Amino acid sequence: MRKSELRLVAAFRREVYDWRLWLERTVVVSAAVVAGLTVVGFTWLCEWTLSLFHRLEGAHAWSPLLWTPLCLATVVWLTRRYVPRIAGSGIPQVMAALDPACSADQRSGFVSMKLTLAKIPLTALGLLGGLSLGREGPSVQIAAGVMHAARRWLPARSSVTPQGLLLAGGAAGIAAAFNTPLAGVMFAIEELSRSPEQRNSGIVVAAIVLAGLVAVSIDGNGTYFGVIHVGTIDTSLLWPGLLTALASGAAGGLFARLVIASLSGKSRDVFTRWRHARPVVFAAGCGLALALIGLVNQGSTFGSGYGYTRTMLDGRAVAPPEFALFKFIATWITTWSGAPAGIFAPSLSIGAAIGNDIGLLTHHAPVVLMALGMAGFLAAATQAPLTAFIIVMEMVDGHAMVLSLMASAYIASGVARMLSKPLYPSLALQYLAQLPPAQTPQTPQTPRPPPPAAPADPPPADPPFLPPDISPPRS
């Protein structure tokens, strides 16, 4: 047998007969299924709580003035009191846990089953209060916590690292939240991964796809915002499409800049000082502002924006020109309040509204421009153009807009880079900066023997013997 054939047989036997590999695969696959089911259950809970809020708002139009501040203050109090690391999206926490500077003990402070079990009800409670938040970012931290908990069942010297489990869990959260396994894989490559080894792990990719397939098998092969029917696309949409990409990129870059500046706490304005001194009261004030914005807009800014945006895409509603601005402000205030809140769904809603406004301004097909705005604003806010492009592409009927969506995502992302640093890496650095400095273990110092004493100075030597001067006698 040749050496190449021998190596092939050895590799085959190792893949088939090594029980450690089969245990490793079983653990990862089972954890991926549990993560997908967890995200599906989380999705149902969020949709149910948001529907309860809309029922309350429909029955008593002024109830959000009391209910929204109360819910937001309660969420922020519980978060700061018991689980401060679940505030915000959840994606920066997973990125911080994946950072090489984060030790194993510190990693559990960002991602764990405890945080998963806390983030699910508190995010749902935020939607029960009508906050402008999405469930997709929280799904990343939730699924990552499930996958990270599976590390204890892996065999010793497993090829799947804790970082690989976190990567698979975070991307599985996106795949299950949007019913798009491809978007989950791309999100892992574009946002979460930090080394080629993580990107090329077949079992990690399989876990991401499996979690997405679990969501698809339960919820059906339907996209998050429905199907966008775009019709015929011609060159007349070139300039309106370019304007949509530029506008959504500028708006997304400004949004990322505002969020980074607000959450850094370095500003000395009165609101930042209020947030530091009285965070729960500040959250109640944010809730009151959200309630007022929602009442002014007939309730369209409450919640994730999913239902209202879907009616716009279906042609059953036309958003007023100011909706994009008010949804922008409501999403920023929700994030600034300190509640667990994602931005994916609100970003898609804001982008669709920007496209709708440009369509009304230029008298062109608003549905096409709404799709371009969705890809553009999401790419600009998250600095993840490929993920944004794939998420929106899955919604479009047919392949007529593939290149247009990709161009819009990359143009908007390029504009946003000129206005702001990348959102999630910047927030992850803020979390890492809060960690105590790593302490290197100090080995006990053995006492050194004292240096040998210097020898005493030798006594002075006798002068050398000199023969007497013998001179010839004088005559």
Side-chain angles (χ1 to χ4, degrees), residues 100-135:
C102 190
S103 65
D105 294 336
Q106 294 169 339
R107 192 178 299 124
S108 298
F110 292 116
V111 177
S112 67
M113 277 302 297
K114 173 187 173 182
L115 299 182
T116 292
L117 295 176
K119 189 138 191 168
I120 291 173
L122 289 180
T123 305
L125 182 58
L127 286 172
L128 185 62
L131 307 185
S132 180
L133 60 87
R135 54 174 174 78

Side-chain angles (χ1 to χ4, degrees), residues 338-351:
I343 65 167
F344 269 69
S347 294
L348 292 171
S349 183
I350 296 168

Side-chain angles (χ1 to χ4, degrees), residues 16-89:
V16 174
Y17 295 111
D18 191 347
W19 64 271
R20 292 182 181 85
L21 285 178
W22 285 105
L23 177 60
E24 180 181 285
R25 293 164 183 164
T26 303
V27 169
V28 173
V29 168
S30 302
V33 172
V34 174
L37 292 173
T38 304
V39 173
V40 169
F42 173 62
T43 300
W44 287 349
L45 179 63
C46 289
E47 292 177 353
W48 178 65
T49 53
L50 184 57
S51 66
L52 291 180
F53 170 79
H54 284 308
R55 281 190 215 167
L56 176 64
E57 181 211 358
H60 309 282
W62 296 96
S63 60
L65 292 174
L66 295 175
W67 180 245
T68 301
L70 178 61
C71 280
L72 185 50
T74 303
V75 168
V76 171
W77 182 80
L78 291 172
T79 300
R80 295 180 66 90
R81 174 77 174 173
Y82 298 106
V83 277
R85 291 285 172 80
I86 68 168
S89 166

